[in-house]
Amino acid sequence: MKKIKYITITIFVFMLALGYILKYAGTHNSYKSTQFLFDTTCTVTVYGKNSKKAAEEVFSEIEKIHKLTSYYSPDSEISKINSSPSNQEIEISSHMSDILSVALEICKSSDGAFDITIAPVSELWDFKSGKNSIPDSEKIENALKNVGYNMLELNTEKSVIIKKRDGLKLDLGGAAKGYACDIAAKILEKHGCCGIIDLGGNVSCVGKNPNSSSGKWKIGLQIPFKPSGEYDKTLEVNSESVVTSGAYQRYFYNDNTLYHHIINPLSGLPTSQSFNAVTIKADSSLLADCLSTACFVLGEEKGTELAKKFGAEIYYY
Ligand code: AMP
Ligand code: MG
């Protein structure tokens, strides 16, 4: 009798353990994949039964967003917009419409500190080429005449935009990765997966972290100008996005002066600030991306006000 009781308990414990292992194995089936897109290293870590399928779909979709928004690809939608004549309706995709409506809202709310029509100036600085030269001030002044989000009209119902001035060009470098993160997050959710999407400085966390009892994800804030992986602050994050804009992300030195890629649309020069980076935590990565660039240009006081207005957390360092 005692032996039967012992066997029954053993079987019960075994079944319990098996059930737990199966459940645990189901959620911890992870898949990690890395590709070079948006001129940066993009890594997706997915947990869940369909992790591989979800990660593959993520890359296929974010590659499409990259192709639509790439300033340097002659076939991209952004290049088509930039080469289209002014005062005519230009048809845009639904992705473009979604990006532009949030981006233009931040252009307005930041009084043009964030300005997606910065392209004529950012093209002169050309951080991508590695030439590391300072543009002629006269050229900057002329280029600034073609910068102003007010000269761009968006009609989301008709899915069209109108450029009100010849020479108006869009640069979505401060918004596109955020949008791609949001699309990727939706794909993970659709597959019932959780995970982290990291598009070089734009990080989106999806669902609950299966490796943490609280379900929260830990995101380290890189110390500016130190090798990646060195953190002095860590954020605890739910299903949210963390986006950083930093002077250390793209820069060069000329005569011991640092020139970085976040341009003040008033001067056409890299924004000079006492901090090196700003991080935004928000539900939407597109919003966080636009805000991080805007708040870098605005500085601590006005930037904090703007972030608050959109319900986002902000950290300057
Ligand atoms: P982020 O790293 O998100 O802050 O975006 C920086 C990128 O946005 C730059 O590399 C430019 O392509 C573009 N950019 C630079 N300055 C501005 C600005 N003031 N407003 C909007 N986009 C900008
Ligand atoms: Mg940004």
Side-chain angles (χ1 to χ4, degrees):
M1 192 63 190
K2 215 174 174 186
K3 200 174 171 188
I4 289 173
K5 198 176 163 193
Y6 177 76
I7 290 170
T8 312
I9 290 172
T10 308
I11 289 172
F12 179 72
V13 170
F14 175 77
M15 295 299 284
L16 211 66
L18 187 68
Y20 180 74
I21 286 166
L22 285 176
K23 188 174 171 224
Y24 187 83
T27 52
H28 280 60
N29 184 3
S30 71
Y31 185 81
K32 191 172 177 177
S33 177
T34 298
Q35 282 189 29
F36 197 81
L37 289 167
F38 295 102
D39 216 17
T40 190
T41 305
C42 302
T43 301
V44 173
T45 311
V46 190
Y47 301 91
K49 269 190 208 149
N50 297 323
S51 54
K52 186 167 185 277
K53 205 169 164 211
E56 283 166 357
E57 195 177 325
V58 161
F59 273 116
S60 134
E61 284 307 305
I62 61 177
E63 208 179 330
K64 283 183 202 160
I65 311 293
H66 177 225
K67 280 187 180 151
L68 287 179
T69 56
S70 169
Y71 188 78
Y72 293 97
S73 153
D75 305 329
S76 70
E77 183 171 3
I78 212 73
S79 293
K80 193 192 102 191
I81 290 170
N82 288 345
S83 60
S84 294
S86 59
N87 297 311
Q88 271 182 29
E89 288 190 345
I90 306 165
E91 270 180 41
I92 54 168
S93 64
S94 64
H95 283 311
M96 189 59 72
S97 175
D98 290 347
I99 298 171
L100 292 183
S101 50
V102 173
L104 280 172
E105 196 182 348
I106 302 303
C107 290
K108 279 182 203 130
S109 301
S110 68
D111 276 333
F114 182 69
D115 195 325
I116 51 168
T117 68
I118 196 74
V121 177
S122 53
E123 197 177 79
L124 288 177
W125 284 96
D126 192 12
F127 284 88
K128 198 178 152 73
S129 74
K131 271 191 264 162
N132 299 354
S133 59
I134 303 158
D136 190 74
S137 56
E138 207 178 307
K139 280 190 179 164
I140 293 180
E141 237 171 77
N142 281 329
L144 279 173
K145 291 176 191 155
N146 294 326
V147 174
Y149 67 91
N150 283 324
M151 298 185 281
L152 182 70
E153 238 180 60
L154 166 70
N155 186 330
T156 48
E157 270 166 36
K158 282 172 83 178
S159 284
V160 296
I161 54 166
I162 298 173
K163 300 193 294 179
K164 295 286 201 180
R165 185 183 168 97
D166 284 330
L168 200 78
K169 282 188 191 177
L170 310 188
D171 171 353
L172 295 181
K177 281 187 285 169
Y179 182 70
C181 263
D182 284 340
I183 294 289
K186 277 186 198 140
I187 292 168
L188 295 203
E189 279 163 9
K190 184 185 83 181
H191 285 278
C193 293
C194 52
I196 296 193
I197 302 129
D198 181 354
L199 311 185
N202 274 65
V203 178
S204 275
C205 301
V206 182
K208 285 191 175 6
N209 181 355
N211 297 314
S212 148
S213 55
S214 69
K216 293 195 180 199
W217 308 85
K218 278 195 175 151
I219 305 296
L221 305 188
Q222 191 186 327
I223 304 173
F225 301 105
K226 287 275 162 79
S228 79
E230 288 193 30
Y231 311 121
D232 64 357
K233 188 175 171 57
T234 305
L235 297 185
E236 294 237 316
V237 180
N238 290 310
S239 210
E240 293 161 300
S241 192
V242 175
V243 178
T244 299
S245 286
Y248 62 94
Q249 289 168 334
R250 218 172 265 255
Y251 66 93
F252 64 81
Y253 278 99
N254 190 307
D255 261 348
N256 285 329
T257 304
L258 176 116
Y259 296 89
H260 63 79
H261 69 145
I262 304 170
I263 310 290
N264 184 336
L266 289 178
S267 64
L269 303 174
T271 313
S272 173
Q273 297 290 18
S274 56
F275 51 83
N276 289 311
V278 52
T279 293
I280 298 281
K281 185 168 100 162
D283 289 341
S284 149
S285 193
L286 171 59
L287 175 70
D289 199 356
C290 299
L291 281 177
S292 69
T293 313
C295 294
F296 194 104
V297 177
L298 285 173
E300 294 204 42
E301 208 182 309
K302 286 187 175 169
T304 306
E305 236 176 71
L306 181 68
K308 245 193 196 163
K309 186 178 156 194
F310 285 89
E313 276 178 35
I314 186 163
Y315 305 90
Y316 284 97
Y317 50 103

